[in-house]
Amino acid sequence: MDIFISRGERDPEIRIRFPAEPDSVWPMLAELDEHCASNDPVRIVGAFYPIPNLTQYISGADMEQEADIRKLNALAGLVDTMGAEERRIFSGALDAESVNGLDDVLGIASSLDRYEFIEGLTSDKDLGGWLVEHGKAEVDFPKEVWPYLDYAGIGAAYYASHGGAYTPIGYVKRREAAQTQKETDRPAFALTLASPAGAVLLDLPASDDALEQAKRMLRLEDLDSATIQGVEIGYPWAHLLPTDAVTVEDANVLAECVQGLAKEELRVFGAVLEVEEPRSFHEAGTIAMDLTDYELTTSSEREYAIAALGYAGAGDEVVEMLDGFTDFEALGRSEMEADGVRETSFGSVRRLSAPWPCQEPEMGQTMG
């Protein structure tokens, strides 16, 4: 995903390709300063991707903060794995929801199964006609009266109570609570393996039969001797995995672990990867197998302080008595440091068995 940044309206723009490490962004900001006459804050002025309204929802990102850069990395990972229909749903969902920053954008992008897209419905009249035809209007109208119905009114009433957004090619809205969506049958991982005999795309996790078939196609006794020409990973934290030293066995174990994770656990895994920075798929697999040792926490210092008081035995009445006389933010900050809480693009996370050491501020983390 390419993002264009600038300062003033008449200043030049610089393109940054995401995912991007923060250390590679700081020189671009310095270069931007050399060519800009304005002292306005750096802002996102464009995003090169076939999601037409994405720019307006990420334009408030602070490009001089490492946290926002990492969130843009996570968003790029999500966007790059979207198919055409998922992009349409994402675009409509952005317009349908109340979006107040990158966290909301990431939340929508990572939960597209909560939304449905109905192609061809671009107005209240279209929606009303579709509701009547499919028996989803509040009243079951006999076909004899269909030609006389106020379809625009029926559609407007449904839209007012269900929300959603019209796009140039269809209607996007949240799914009903009773609705379920069949999950896309997409492999957790895919490796492109090659040998002098040819190449094969191996979906992971792979069964023993699939591994044997790959060996036969490549005419190899052992897949460890195959050349890995490509690694495809369909998760937003893919860029956090080292792909320069991958083995089929380690990738298969990791893919099997990831396949069994629930959505919240996948977020935890992404957060831990960002903190631990594993040097191999084997290390990443160890993290996935020991994921119960980590948990996401609130990023609010006040909420963290109140939760800590609760763990210490203080009830609601005690907290209410302290409110107004206690600096909850300072208390929460102290507790978060003691618990080794780390802020990531997937949320705040901590390790339960042995808290991470207090993180020292990095030089260049904040530009200004």
Side-chain angles (χ1 to χ4, degrees):
M1 182 173 71
D2 289 348
I3 288 177
F4 296 86
I5 62 171
S6 185
R7 286 192 183 273
E9 293 184 0
R10 297 184 179 181
D11 287 328
E13 300 175 1
I14 286 183
R15 181 180 70 176
I16 303 176
R17 175 156 294 178
F18 282 86
E21 288 300 321
D23 287 345
S24 68
V25 174
W26 310 140
M28 295 184 184
L29 297 182
E31 180 184 348
L32 185 67
D33 288 339
E34 292 178 3
H35 297 90
C36 289
S38 171
N39 291 321
D40 293 343
V42 176
R43 58 193 180 90
I44 295 175
V45 296
F48 183 72
Y49 204 82
I51 299 175
N53 57 342
L54 181 60
T55 300
Q56 70 185 84
Y57 292 108
I58 64 174
S59 60
D62 190 340
M63 296 300 298
E64 297 175 299
Q65 292 292 332
E66 182 174 341
D68 278 11
I69 292 174
R70 295 200 180 279
K71 290 175 184 178
L72 288 171
N73 281 336
L75 178 61
L78 285 167
V79 168
D80 287 345
T81 63
M82 291 181 187
E85 181 162 344
E86 290 174 310
R87 294 196 297 266
R88 291 194 289 265
I89 293 174
F90 183 38
S91 178
L94 287 172
D95 287 340
E97 300 287 11
S98 175
V99 178
N100 296 299
L102 284 177
D103 288 337
D104 290 340
V105 176
L106 278 170
I108 294 171
S110 60
S111 57
L112 294 181
D113 56 348
R114 292 189 303 163
Y115 303 89
E116 63 178 322
F117 172 77
I118 307 174
E119 190 172 0
L121 307 186
T122 60
S123 67
D124 289 342
K125 182 177 180 181
D126 293 335
L127 176 57
W130 185 88
L131 291 169
V132 171
E133 182 180 349
H134 290 80
K136 295 183 179 295
E138 293 184 359
V139 178
D140 188 11
F141 296 100
K143 286 191 176 181
E144 292 78 11
V145 304
W146 284 14
Y148 309 103
L149 294 176
D150 178 9
Y151 290 112
I154 294 172
Y158 183 91
Y159 187 95
S161 60
H162 292 79
Y166 295 116
T167 76
I169 57 175
Y171 173 57
V172 174
K173 74 173 186 70
R174 282 194 179 188
R175 291 183 176 277
E176 305 293 342
Q179 281 183 300
T180 59
Q181 179 186 35
K182 181 180 179 181
E183 294 201 8
T184 305
D185 294 325
R186 181 174 64 184
F189 289 85
L191 299 181
T192 301
L193 307 177
S195 75
V200 62
L201 181 67
L202 181 66
D203 292 338
L204 301 180
S207 64
D208 291 341
D209 288 342
L211 294 172
E212 289 298 325
Q213 183 180 15
K215 290 181 190 177
R216 290 194 298 270
M217 294 176 66
L218 297 174
R219 299 178 184 175
L220 296 174
E221 294 293 329
D222 193 329
L223 289 181
D224 285 342
S225 57
T227 300
I228 298 180
Q229 290 187 332
V231 182
E232 299 177 20
I233 305 175
Y235 294 90
W237 33 254
H239 63 286
L240 299 173
L241 294 173
T243 57
D244 54 345
V246 183
T247 69
V248 175
E249 181 180 1
D250 287 343
N252 204 34
V253 170
L254 177 58
E256 189 170 358
C257 290
V258 168
Q259 189 181 56
L261 298 180
K263 285 186 177 180
E264 184 69 8
E265 292 173 319
L266 289 171
R267 282 188 60 208
V268 175
F269 185 52
V272 178
L273 287 179
E274 193 169 307
V275 176
E276 295 283 13
E277 298 180 348
R279 294 170 294 179
S280 67
F281 271 44
H282 178 76
E283 290 186 9
T286 301
I287 292 172
M289 288 186 280
D290 196 29
L291 207 59
T292 56
D293 192 30
Y294 307 89
E295 69 175 7
L296 294 177
T297 72
T298 178
S299 59
S300 166
E301 294 170 346
R302 177 183 175 84
E303 291 178 7
Y304 200 93
I306 293 174
L309 289 172
Y311 294 144
D316 292 342
E317 293 182 358
V318 174
V319 173
E320 290 179 5
M321 290 175 59
L322 293 174
D323 198 7
F325 302 95
T326 302
D327 188 342
F328 284 121
E329 283 73 18
L331 176 59
R333 191 157 52 248
S334 175
E335 290 294 316
M336 293 172 87
E337 290 176 358
D339 291 343
V341 175
R342 296 290 185 89
E343 178 68 28
T344 76
S345 55
F346 299 91
S348 297
V349 65
R350 67 175 181 173
R351 186 169 58 192
L352 302 178
S353 61
W356 285 303
C358 182
Q359 191 174 23
E360 295 295 331
E362 297 180 10
M363 292 298 294
Q365 182 170 344
T366 303
M367 301 282 293

